[in-house]
Amino acid sequence: MAKVKTSYVCQNCGVESAKWVGRCPSCGEWNTYVEERVSQGKQRHGLVEVSRSATPKALKEIESSNERRLSTGIEELNRILGGGLVAGSLVLLGGEPGIGKSTLALQMALKLNHLKVLYVSGEESARQVKLRADRLTNGESECLILNETLLDNILTQAKNTEPDLLVIDSIQTLYTDTIDSSPGSVSQVRECAVALLRYAKTTGIPIILIGHITKDGSIAGPKVLEHIVDVVLQFEGDSNYLYRILRSIKNRFGSTAELGIFEMQSAGLMEVPNPSEILLSHRDEALSGVAISASMDGSRPFLIETQALVSTAAYGTPQRSSTGYDTRRLNMILAVLEKRAGFKLATKDVFLNLAGGLKVTDPAMDMAVVAAVLSSNFDLTIPTSICFAAEVGLSGEIRQVSRVDQRVAEAAKLGFEKIFISKYSLKDEGKFVKNIELVRVSKIEELVRALFK
Ligand code: TYD
Ligand code: MG
């Protein structure tokens, strides 16, 4: 019998130790060490199979072939992946329970009816998958469903069926016999992921791994998983809203700046190709406390509504609360406003909200936040035909942001008549866009004068 070795493994970062420790020396988390049994029957394998006779080659001698990309049938997903799934790549799709990971993966499998897709479900029975598929499409599909959690069986079935795409739902349910610890533990997850990686690299079949996310937002089981895979996609969204955002956190074959927006409907996830339309409320009448920002996420511009409510503080300490926008940044902006625009910080409660439950980190939101706060404070409306795109600095200066051209073009496309940008944006930026007036401001005072004179 193979000798059984036990070791303690940090469930957060995957570091091993011979004895139990209270605080992981690697990631600093407390109480994350769990004893796992690793039988030594088989040896560990490296990530990429290396042949014994490999010799170094000059870079220029290595053939650069254009990677073959497989379209997923879902445009938003293709864009985030950088044009489709690369042959032999391992993609991790992470997200909280119930966010729609299985739905997205199955929807993709159903769209790829011309290809052979093997959908391995360790969480739901084949019946449940069928029910979900019926909900998503009415058509029949050739997609192969496999209910299995033992990795070796999955690989055997994959070898037999030779699919064009393999989907694993989810990596936390898989286990392999070589390791004694329970499914979902760090060593199991890592071992299974490495075996799947080896399979993907040798056969050229792309694999999508679905992974759960722990409460604090990291992919459960481990950082190690993020190192192993080629692409990490994260599915986010507020369960109170219908919108779901798919972000790329790591991509060896494309940019990580892209973001896709989906809407969860009764027949599955629908792509939202033009997010501005859902993020604006298309009101005819202007309301105080509302300002629209021409924001960017990745390479795509979108206009988003910022709403602020400023009221007299009822208690000693004024409240600050913001949804979708960094609260610290809001505090900074309020401090700037106190200094520059006579805003009495200590006596006002300020609430800020971005439409649609989105979180935006683009600094170009700043000017819209300033405008919304002032509009609510003075109870004066901002015309619905105006939008904003600039950063606000600590001394109240309006700073330039990137890609002004695209923001202006998007605003013009949606029928805005005026856009406020920084005076320091390049001279001809946005100049050639028709039907929209550019207002260049350099200081908060100027903005206030232009808006509420
Ligand atoms: P699911 O894909 O099972 O989430 P995950 O795999 O990430 O845990 O998504 C389940 C949720 O989506 C569930 O709350 C029901 C909802 N849903 C719809 O609204 N419409 C649909 O067509 C489907 C299939 C699910
Ligand atoms: Mg699921």
Side-chain angles (χ1 to χ4, degrees):
M1 214 183 96
K3 194 177 156 230
V4 174
K5 177 197 159 205
T6 65
S7 69
Y8 291 86
V9 183
C10 170
Q11 300 295 307
N12 187 49
C13 67
V15 164
E16 282 179 38
S17 155
K19 59 182 191 344
W20 188 86
V21 260
R23 181 168 190 250
C24 175
S26 168
C27 66
E29 287 294 310
W30 289 91
N31 243 341
T32 52
Y33 276 76
V34 169
E35 185 175 18
E36 291 187 2
R37 302 206 308 166
V38 185
S39 74
Q40 292 204 304
K42 291 184 188 168
Q43 65 187 66
R44 281 268 164 82
H45 306 274
L47 289 188
V48 183
E49 214 117 291
V50 185
S51 81
R52 291 270 153 93
S53 57
T55 46
K57 255 190 203 168
L59 199 57
K60 61 178 182 190
E61 285 166 21
I62 300 173
E63 255 181 74
S64 66
S65 56
N66 261 346
E67 319 100 4
R68 213 158 25 96
R69 292 206 185 235
L70 174 79
S71 164
T72 59
I74 300 175
E75 264 320 300
E76 292 283 282
L77 191 56
N78 283 345
R79 205 165 44 76
I80 297 161
L81 289 168
L85 285 165
V86 173
S89 65
L90 198 56
V91 177
L92 177 67
L93 175 62
E96 285 175 19
I99 199 86
K101 302 178 296 294
S102 309
T103 308
L104 184 70
L106 188 63
Q107 228 170 314
M108 183 180 71
L110 296 178
K111 285 234 167 131
L112 297 176
N113 216 0
H114 53 290
L115 299 175
K116 199 188 258 181
V117 182
L118 179 59
Y119 188 103
V120 180
S121 177
E123 301 201 331
E124 292 164 342
S125 67
R127 265 261 201 63
Q128 280 173 299
V129 178
K130 169 80 177 154
L131 276 178
R132 189 197 293 266
D134 285 343
R135 204 170 155 182
L136 298 174
T137 48
N138 302 323
E140 299 288 297
S141 171
E142 299 286 323
C143 176
L144 298 166
I145 309 290
L146 175 66
N147 264 134
E148 181 60 78
T149 49
L150 181 60
L151 180 76
D152 310 73
N153 288 352
I154 294 174
L155 290 179
T156 313
Q157 291 302 331
K159 272 170 200 141
N160 291 343
T161 48
E162 296 185 335
D164 298 301
L165 171 68
L166 181 61
V167 179
I168 308 279
D169 187 4
S170 65
I171 182 76
Q172 274 94 3
T173 56
L174 295 199
Y175 72 100
T176 160
D177 278 343
T178 22
I179 296 181
D180 288 335
S181 50
S182 58
S185 65
V186 169
S187 9
Q188 283 287 7
V189 166
R190 179 173 49 200
E191 207 60 24
C192 293
V194 169
L196 287 167
L197 178 80
R198 215 176 307 122
Y199 174 75
K201 297 293 170 212
T202 47
T203 58
I205 298 171
I207 302 183
I208 295 190
L209 292 179
I210 292 180
H212 293 286
I213 276 196
T214 52
K215 272 201 211 90
D216 58 358
S218 56
I219 289 171
K223 276 275 174 234
V224 274
L225 205 50
E226 293 188 22
H227 294 304
I228 296 170
V229 301
D230 298 307
V231 180
V232 181
L233 300 181
Q234 189 145 320
F235 218 5
E236 309 173 347
D238 199 318
S239 49
N240 297 324
Y241 291 95
L242 294 174
Y243 302 115
R244 302 279 184 269
I245 297 159
L246 190 61
R247 254 178 230 288
S248 140
I249 294 176
K250 161 181 174 179
N251 192 348
R252 288 191 179 142
F253 317 107
S255 140
T256 50
E258 296 293 343
L259 150 159
I261 300 184
F262 294 89
E263 188 178 350
M264 182 60 100
Q265 295 182 354
S266 59
L269 289 156
M270 297 295 151
E271 301 171 49
V272 179
N274 193 354
S276 307
E277 296 202 338
I278 54 163
L279 296 173
L280 299 179
S281 46
H282 302 285
R283 246 184 255 107
D284 301 330
E285 186 194 354
L287 296 175
S288 72
V290 175
I292 291 159
S293 171
S295 183
M296 297 286 292
D297 219 311
S299 60
R300 186 163 60 168
F302 61 90
L303 282 101
I304 181 167
E305 200 173 280
T306 314
Q307 267 190 315
L309 174 68
V310 177
S311 63
T312 310
Y315 305 103
T317 326
Q319 294 187 63
R320 309 273 180 258
S321 146
S322 109
T323 319
Y325 185 78
D326 185 16
T327 313
R328 270 173 305 174
R329 192 142 188 107
L330 173 65
N331 279 325
M332 180 214 100
I333 284 186
L334 294 178
V336 173
L337 282 180
E338 172 158 54
K339 186 119 186 166
R340 299 280 153 193
F343 180 78
K344 292 281 174 290
L345 201 58
T347 57
K348 303 283 188 189
D349 287 342
V350 180
F351 305 95
L352 191 77
N353 185 27
L354 298 193
L358 283 194
K359 281 195 191 71
V360 184
T361 49
D362 183 7
M365 291 289 305
D366 290 357
M367 188 149 63
V369 171
V370 165
V373 167
L374 291 178
S375 160
S376 177
N377 189 42
F378 302 144
D379 203 13
L380 291 173
T381 59
I382 298 170
T384 51
S385 58
I386 295 183
C387 63
F388 305 87
E391 189 183 338
V392 173
L394 281 183
S395 33
E397 81 276 23
I398 308 284
R399 307 167 68 150
Q400 72 188 81
V401 286
S402 61
R403 302 182 190 240
V404 171
D405 273 339
Q406 280 177 27
R407 300 174 199 263
V408 175
E410 178 76 7
K413 199 172 94 193
L414 288 165
F416 284 88
E417 290 160 16
K418 219 186 241 188
I419 179 166
F420 279 78
I421 58 171
S422 163
K423 192 175 169 187
Y424 307 108
S425 291
L426 299 179
K427 274 277 162 310
D428 50 0
E429 254 181 335
K431 210 170 76 180
F432 304 110
V433 183
K434 292 198 181 80
N435 302 332
I436 190 161
E437 182 192 344
L438 297 181
V439 185
R440 292 169 176 267
V441 284
S442 62
K443 283 188 295 205
I444 284 200
E445 291 91 322
E446 274 176 47
L447 176 71
V448 176
R449 248 176 281 130
L451 281 178
F452 312 108
K453 54 183 173 264

